[in-house]
Amino acid sequence: MTTVQQVYEVMQRLAPPELAEHWDNPGLLVDCGGAVRRVLVTLDITPEVVEEAAAGGCELIVSHHPVIFSPLKKLTPRDVSFQLVQKGISAICMHTNLDAAEGGVNDVLAQKLGLEGLTPLTEEKIGRIGTLKCEMPLVEFTRFVIESLGCNGLRYTDCGKPVHRVAVGGGACGDYIPQAIAAGCDTFVTSDLRYHDFLDTTELHLIDAGHFPTEDVICEPLVAYLQRAFPTAIVMKTAAHDCEAIQYCIKEK
């Protein structure tokens, strides 16, 4: 019989808790105990995902984004954590430790974009730096990013260089632009960039490919990882939260 604790121990081997940022709250955040026969993997635990898990008979959800951030002062029926307990579904959430981990979010993101010779972008092992096999024009690379990550669109700036040495940061990694510049990168792919990030950065291309597309890449590898570890369980990726929430209205030429 597979237990929630056993799944958590396997997840900790992939994403050790000590890799998490000090402000983060990863871990076994909702523990309803009991046997685990079905596991749902998702980027975010939304009410729709909880309903999907309940309808599918899942006893456990494994997500990237934490369902609880401390201090938790009040719990109401509208809170997802309340809904999980109500339905007897546990939740394991691996966040910045999964970003930093070998084989985690940023390794998968870099591989999706065809980067080789990967090294960490920061001392905390957040982000990755790698190179493309061949240089390519920025316009061609932006199309490649959209196709590879399934983006609805992206925002970018052009610094006038071909794309070759690329930094990536899944999720909101705009604070690491200086590290990408210092490492000699000509391009940085991340998300949630601010206006002044684009305005003030002239040394490299900035590509904001969206929070969901740059992190959801980890879900399928997580499904495979857990299925290998627990072959008698059924592990699946969510269908209720499998696309970008942000839509784009494109100016017609």
Side-chain angles (χ1 to χ4, degrees), residues 119-192:
T119 57
L121 174 62
T122 73
E123 292 182 0
E124 298 78 20
K125 299 184 179 180
I126 299 296
R128 296 292 184 268
I129 297 169
T131 56
L132 296 171
K133 287 183 179 179
C134 300
E135 290 184 352
M136 66 173 68
L138 176 62
V139 172
E140 183 180 338
F141 184 70
T142 56
R143 291 172 182 160
F144 173 64
V145 171
I146 289 173
E147 292 172 1
S148 299
L149 304 184
C151 308
N152 289 333
L154 52 74
R155 302 182 298 155
Y156 71 95
T157 54
D158 186 346
C159 72
K161 303 174 185 177
V163 178
H164 188 227
R165 183 169 171 80
V166 181
V168 300
C173 290
D175 289 343
Y176 305 131
I177 293 172
Q179 285 90 330
I181 294 171
C185 297
D186 51 65
T187 307
F188 187 19
V189 180
T190 185
S191 75
D192 299 352

Side-chain angles (χ1 to χ4, degrees), residues 230-245:
F230 302 100
T232 61
I234 297 174
V235 186
M236 66 197 90
K237 185 179 185 293
T238 179
H241 182 61
D242 66 347
C243 63
E244 171 68 272

Side-chain angles (χ1 to χ4, degrees), residues 27-31 45 59-62 67 84 89-93:
L28 175 52
L29 302 188
V30 178
D31 185 1
I45 303 179
E59 300 89 0
L60 172 65
I61 300 175
V62 174
V67 71
L84 287 166
I89 300 172
S90 300
I92 295 171
C93 309

